[in-house]
C-alpha cells in the first residue's frame, strides 16, 4: 500500500495492467467492523492509483484497508475481464451493454433482466423554515433502484455504526 494506492510485483497480477477499463474498477474490503469501497482511477506498470478522497478516507480510522482488525477478503471488482462464474454480470457504461454469464439452465430469451438507471426515484425537498409537509404516497412499489455512492469519488468508508465518511477529510497519522 502507498499513500496513493497499491503497487504489485507478483506476475500473477500482471493482467491488471491490461484491463480494458481500469477506471471502472473498485477495491472492496470486508473487515471485522467495516465494509469499504475505494474506486480505482487507473492501473499501469504495477501501480494501482486510487480515486481521492475515497482512498484517504478508507486508509484512516478504525479497521481500515491499511490496518484491518482482522484480515478479511480484499477484492478488485467491476471489470469485464473478471466474469468467470455463472450469475456474474458487468455493465459497460460507455456502450450501455450488459454482459451476463447465465446460471445453469437459464435461458436469456425468457429471463427478466432489469437494469436500474436512477439512484433516486423521488426527491422531496424543503428547509427548516419551510419544510415539506402533508405528503402522502399510496400504492407505490419501488424496485430496481441503485445506490451508486460507493462508485463515486467518496468511495464508501463505512464504520460499524452505519455511518460513513464522505468528502475530503484531513487525517493526522500517528504511525
Amino acid at each position: 500500500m502507498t499513500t496513493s494506492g497499491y503497487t504489485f510485483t507478483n506476475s500473477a497480477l500482471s493482467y491488471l495492467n491490461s484491463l480494458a477499463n481500469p477506471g471502472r474498477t473498485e477495491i472492496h474490503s470486508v473487515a471485522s467492523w467495516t465494509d469499504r469501497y475505494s474506486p480505482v482511477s487507473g492501473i499501469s506498470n504495477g501501480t494501482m492509483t486510487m480515486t481521492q478522497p475515497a482512498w484517504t478516507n478508507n486508509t484512516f480510522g478504525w479497521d481500515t484497508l491499511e490496518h484491518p482488525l482482522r484480515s478479511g477478503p480484499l477484492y478488485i471488482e467491476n471489470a469485464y475481464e473478471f466474469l468467470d462464474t455463472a450469475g456474474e454480470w458487468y455493465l459497460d457504461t460507455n456502450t450501455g451493454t450488459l454482459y451476463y454469464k447465465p446460471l445453469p439452465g437459464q435461458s436469456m430469451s425468457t429471463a427478466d433482466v432489469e437494469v436500474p438507471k436512477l439512484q433516486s426515484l423521488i426527491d422531496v425537498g424543503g428547509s427548516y423554515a419551510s419544510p415539506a409537509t402533508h405528503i402522502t404516497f399510496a400504492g407505490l412499489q419501488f424496485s430496481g433502484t441503485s445506490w451508486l455512492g460507493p462508485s463515486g469519488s467518496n468511495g464508501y468508508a463505512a464504520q460499524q455504526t452505519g455511518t460513513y465518511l464522505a468528502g475530503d477529510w484531513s487525517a493526522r497519522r500517528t504511525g
Side-chain angles (χ1 to χ4, degrees), residues 39-158:
V40 175
S41 61
I43 303 172
S44 180
N45 299 318
T47 299
M48 185 179 301
T49 304
M50 307 304 289
T51 302
Q52 292 293 353
W55 182 245
T56 299
N57 291 347
N58 274 294
T59 57
F60 79 90
W62 176 256
D63 201 24
T64 65
L65 292 173
E66 189 173 16
H67 298 293
L69 185 60
R70 124 188 112 72
S71 293
L74 179 69
Y75 307 99
I76 181 169
E77 303 175 335
N78 203 27
Y80 172 80
E81 294 86 350
F82 299 161
L83 294 179
D84 61 0
T85 303
E88 292 181 339
W89 57 274
Y90 172 74
L91 177 62
D92 184 332
T93 55
N94 291 327
T95 65
T97 304
L98 176 67
Y99 297 91
Y100 176 69
K101 284 197 159 286
L103 297 167
Q106 186 176 34
S107 169
M108 293 311 296
S109 63
T110 59
D112 178 19
V113 179
E114 299 174 26
V115 180
K117 186 172 181 176
L118 301 175
Q119 187 165 301
S120 176
L121 297 176
I122 293 177
D123 289 322
V124 176
S127 67
Y128 287 112
S130 181
T133 61
H134 302 91
I135 299 170
T136 303
F137 297 101
L140 296 178
Q141 176 182 338
F142 296 106
S143 58
T145 61
S146 182
W147 183 43
L148 302 174
S151 298
S153 64
N154 285 313
Y156 185 65

